[in-house]
Amino acid sequence: MTANLPLSGLRVLELAGLAPGPFCGLLLADWGADVLRIDRPSPKPTPTNDLLTSHKASIALDLKDGRCIAVLLSLVRKADVLIDPFRPGVLEKLGLDPTTVLLKRNPGLTVVRLTGFRRDGKYSAMAGHDINYLAASGVLSMLGPRDSPPSPPANILADFAGGGHVAFTGVLLALIQRQNGKGNGKGQIVHANMVDGVSYLGTFPRLLTKEPVIWSGERGTNTLDGGAPYYACYECKDRGKYMSVGALEPQFYVQLIQGLGFTPEEVVPGALDRQDRRAWPYMREVFTARFKTKTRKEWEHVFDGTDACAVPVLEHREMEDAQYDLRPMVGLSESPARVVERPWKGQPLRPGEGGEAALKDWMGWSKGRDYHVSANGAFQVVEEEKSRL
């Protein structure tokens, strides 16, 4: 099956980093790429904190050691992609400038440089995390309830959607350019950052802020940001269990009202008019009360098979208990991705795990002849062999 994967034969060097870089590598690996993670050496090679390691191998390199740099540069010659997760200037300080060093070694290489902030903005040299990138993108200001501080959706939006996934898209575009004739087989540098990635993902809601109906009000008062009572979540009779409601269209809203069991006498003219924002507070009040009259399971029975757009809010623990089938994000009929290897519990790599086999496959190298592993776990070229690298 491996030979039929879309990215089969692609070789990727993933410099170890936090969530977005490994996620980009995971996406490439899931679609068939051979991903070799470059970890930092440690006297006691304990597993990394990274759980996004499916279908990857690892070697440990001390990038301040010339013998380790020699290993990396040899691998660069054989690689198609290198993932750089560092702050601006780090690769350059290591003597690994993408333009003057890496692309000189391998003109067909795609170097994806993934940062949090823009490389040329006032925050470029600063540390940050998902919440900070969301803040700088303008998207965080749109998230959360009214009269409360903005609320980030964990670290999913910037780290993974605007970061790792956007970088993955950039890699695919660069590879297409390389092989379609217009690129003449040449690689290029892909610049990705989470601020621009998230800002682009927010194109639709940003444009809607100029429209008078859907998203022009304060945060938490609009149709799609929790303001509308027919686009919200409601607690059920069993405490802590919720139903999601997204009955935006009139015909779906009618089915929601019917499913909730409102009688003609209860539907006071105008009181449940979805287009009248003055009715929203009353609607939310009666929806809240009505959902608490049944358990979530009972509401599932009511709404399953209808177009009321009412679906239970599932929790990961119950999905795992039910052996929910987690799948790749998209299905291709002729070249599907690898199955999700560890759907519920990740397995960190130990630095160097699978490294000997990877160096044998990539380079034809053998331990002791072409390289050795130092006391701190770093893979180093054998001194007398340096001249032929």
Side-chain angles (χ1 to χ4, degrees):
M1 177 181 174
T2 302
N4 200 38
L5 294 167
L7 301 181
S8 178
L10 194 76
R11 287 176 169 170
V12 178
L13 291 172
E14 177 192 309
L15 302 183
L18 298 177
F23 187 58
C24 178
L26 178 68
L27 288 168
L28 292 166
D30 280 347
W31 295 99
D34 184 2
V35 178
L36 179 58
R37 178 183 166 100
I38 309 300
D39 279 301
R40 296 175 178 85
S42 171
K44 295 181 180 180
T46 57
T48 68
N49 293 326
D50 181 19
L51 298 177
L52 305 174
T53 58
S54 293
H55 310 298
K56 298 180 185 178
S58 165
I59 62 172
L61 295 178
D62 180 357
L63 297 183
K64 296 180 181 179
D65 185 322
R67 292 168 297 175
C68 291
I69 288 291
V71 174
L72 180 64
L73 290 177
S74 295
L75 289 167
V76 163
R77 288 197 185 101
K78 299 288 187 178
D80 298 285
V81 178
L82 183 141
I83 300 173
D84 165 24
F86 302 138
R87 289 199 216 182
V90 171
L91 279 190
E92 288 80 357
K93 289 179 181 178
L94 293 170
L96 296 170
D97 180 274
T99 302
T100 62
V101 177
L102 300 181
L103 288 175
K104 291 287 186 182
R105 290 275 177 149
N106 181 356
L109 182 69
T110 293
V111 181
V112 55
R113 312 197 73 180
L114 177 57
T115 59
F117 296 114
R118 290 178 169 181
R119 303 183 73 85
D120 58 352
K122 69 174 184 176
Y123 303 123
S124 61
M126 289 172 51
H129 282 294
D130 185 288
I131 190 171
N132 307 121
Y133 312 137
L134 284 181
S137 75
V139 172
L140 183 57
S141 68
M142 308 178 75
L143 305 177
R146 184 182 185 184
D147 298 327
S148 296
S151 179
N155 70 326
I156 297 171
L157 192 49
D159 278 351
F160 297 105
H165 199 293
V166 165
F168 172 67
T169 302
V171 169
L172 297 184
L173 292 173
L175 294 174
I176 291 171
Q177 171 73 5
R178 187 182 73 172
Q179 71 181 31
N180 68 5
K182 297 179 182 179
N184 297 318
K186 293 184 177 180
Q188 59 182 295
I189 300 171
V190 176
H191 291 291
N193 71 78
M194 284 169 260
V195 172
D196 287 340
V198 171
S199 181
Y200 197 85
L201 290 171
T203 296
F204 184 60
R206 185 180 67 250
L207 295 177
L208 286 178
T209 61
K210 300 297 184 181
E211 299 298 320
V213 177
I214 297 180
W215 216 316
S216 58
E218 298 178 18
R219 181 180 68 252
T221 68
N222 302 287
T223 303
L224 298 177
D225 66 357
Y230 48 85
Y231 198 85
C233 294
Y234 293 94
E235 190 175 35
C236 303
K237 186 177 181 179
D238 40 348
R239 187 176 177 82
K241 301 295 183 181
Y242 297 87
M243 289 290 291
S244 68
V245 172
L248 292 173
E249 292 79 6
Q251 66 273 26
F252 302 154
Y253 182 71
V254 168
Q255 293 201 38
L256 173 67
I257 294 300
Q258 291 173 347
L260 288 172
F262 288 109
T263 65
E265 292 76 21
E266 290 175 301
V267 184
V268 179
L272 298 181
D273 183 356
R274 56 184 290 280
Q275 293 183 321
D276 186 355
R277 290 185 177 229
R278 294 171 300 178
W280 283 9
Y282 173 75
M283 291 167 60
R284 188 177 296 277
E285 179 182 339
V286 296
F287 287 178
T288 299
R290 186 55 57 94
F291 271 106
K292 287 187 175 180
T293 63
K294 297 181 187 295
T295 66
R296 198 192 71 181
K297 195 68 177 176
E298 290 172 327
W299 285 122
E300 286 184 62
H301 181 71
V302 169
F303 288 114
D304 279 358
T306 75
D307 282 342
C309 301
V311 174
V313 178
L314 301 178
E315 301 165 9
H316 281 160
R317 181 176 297 177
E318 64 180 314
M319 294 170 69
E320 180 181 4
D321 291 343
Q323 298 184 335
Y324 183 85
D325 180 22
L326 285 178
R327 301 173 181 175
M329 62 182 179
V330 66
L332 301 180
S333 63
E334 301 302 320
S335 52
R338 288 170 164 141
V339 297
V340 178
E341 185 180 29
R342 291 185 284 270
W344 299 110
K345 183 176 176 59
Q347 182 177 327
L349 280 176
R350 291 180 180 273
E353 186 175 338
E356 292 185 27
L359 290 179
K360 182 72 173 177
D361 180 51
W362 283 46
M363 308 297 300
W365 287 358
S366 296
K367 183 179 178 181
R369 185 191 70 189
D370 303 289
Y371 67 93
H372 71 273
V373 179
S374 68
N376 69 349
F379 285 63
Q380 301 172 333
V381 293
V382 175
E383 287 290 345
E384 58 267 25
E385 296 294 326
K386 289 179 66 175
S387 61
R388 69 183 181 86
L389 294 175

